[in-house]
Amino acid sequence: MKNRQKIQETTKFFHGFWGLFKGYWSSEEKWKARGLLAAVILLNFAAVYLLVQINSWYNVFYNALQSYQASAFWPLVGQFTLLAFLYILLAVYAIYLRQMLQIKWRTWMTDRYLARWMSDQTYYRLQVLGSDTDNPDQRISEDINQFVTLTLQLLVGSLKELTTLAAFAVVLWNLSGVLTVPVGSHAFTIYGYMFWFSLVYSIIGTFLAHLVGRKLIGLDFDQQRYEADFRFNMMRVRENSESVAFYRGERPETRGFKERFAKVIKNYWQLMRRTKLLNFYVNGYGQLAIIVPLIMAAPRYFDGAMALGGLMQTVSAFGRVQDALSYFVTSYDTIAQLAAVTRRLDSFTTHMEQAGAVKSEISRGEDMEGALSLQNLSVSLPDGQTLLSDCTVHVEPGSRVLVTGASGSGKSTLLRTLAGLWPYGKGTIDLPKGARIMFLPQRPYLPLGSLRRALCYPMTAADDADLRRALARVGLERLEGELDTIDDWSRILSLGEQQRLAFARILLVRPAWVFLDEATSALDEPREQEMYELLRKELPDTSIVSVGHRSTLRAQHTEELRLEGDGTWKCIPIPA
């Protein structure tokens, strides 16, 4: 059972990895990407060739030392200097081009993930569906970077090590000679014995490294999640600092910080202990590999079958072969990180696909007469609970409709359905054909940047005179000189001022239909009346659909759509 589960997990990892990997290399940028990768690989191949030349240099140099050939010393030092300079040059540019490829690949993946996350309100649907994808921002900003970096590091590194293995295995085989092992009355001859020993040594070392380090994959995954949760909790407090301060919520917030940080530290201790065991093994494995080739080659050296240069060349070649064969051992931590990152990105991709796959049974069309028409519209929660059942309403252009009902009856959800954000329901919605429509949530969104940007949102620009006039009309004339001031305006402005700023946006956009979801809840009643009368005066032909609780809103509307909370509804004219 456990073996089957391991096979399934391994298969899922490779499937997820291939799904993430193949996109860029088959995209419109594939030829540039493949060309850069080929250049990186060729530079690494050239570096391996120089390492072979340096290995041969060891033989000549140490034989010259053993023979006291002083005249050959400086020419050989000069030869080494040239080889070393060329090797450094190749190594530097191999890393530089790999980093260039890394930037291009990360840019491509980030663009695709941002597009997928932002399209069809996927960022919103992930929350509606209750997806367990935590911190999508970290997935896009950090995990993509790690995936690209670690993949290229392992891909280029493994290709280089395979080339090194191929080149130095031949060298080591030729240098090893023949080892005769007497067993009783028989003698066994082993050709290239040091190569075979290196191979067996590395296989055993790789297997033991996997046993020691396999738990690092799950620990790395959890560490990233706990770190992100801890950081997100602090961001939440920063974004809601005023509310926390009013509640005197420092103690429970601090307790929450400590609880999340405790998970970070607890998991990190486990990560440290497992890494300590792996480091003990990796370093012991590496140190043992230094003395082993000397012990193995010593008999031939002392028998006179090998000169000092041959001994040093053999030791160097053994080290290269050993490093190549032990690449998995030394890179196990990197592989564990890549596995954890792949798992996070793959799950994020799957959840976005699931969010996009949710198809609504609500048919959306256009009303040729510019009206809003609901026909047998039913709205429900994801668990199937009905909020609105078989609602049929026709709202003429220029109407002002107030949507009322008890808390939780589905008023805001109805607006989300009209906006196309809520997929759970059935029936027909016909929106005004060609009409400019605008939705205002209870808490307006103010993007980071200048006040001008916050006021224009979601537009990108507007005339300065129009901006100043809109601010003055909603009673925010004191901000007219702050249009180009960059700050966190959601922190500077009160919620009431933010709601008035949202009404200024209406004046700039001048929509034919505007939907207000308790958009005046933070305003006093006289100011609320002033905002609605402003819309009536400035935009007399604009249709208004409002969600609200206050009885004073009835005076600003001509019809009431009352949701009873059990799925039933009533449409009632409001007396003038």
Side-chain angles (χ1 to χ4, degrees), residues 547-573:
V547 168
H549 291 282
R550 290 178 180 171
S551 59
T552 52
L553 285 173
R554 294 175 59 84
Q556 308 299 331
H557 299 81
T558 57
E559 297 177 73
E560 178 184 1
L561 177 60
R562 183 185 302 168
L563 307 186
E564 302 295 347
D566 58 356
T568 60
W569 54 276
K570 293 180 181 179
C571 194
I572 310 168

Side-chain angles (χ1 to χ4, degrees), residues 156-182:
V156 175
S158 59
L159 288 174
K160 181 180 179 181
E161 295 304 331
L162 284 173
T163 308
T164 302
L165 176 61
F168 281 95
V170 176
V171 175
L172 186 59
W173 182 282
N174 293 331
L175 290 172
S176 298
V178 179
L179 178 65
T180 302
V181 181

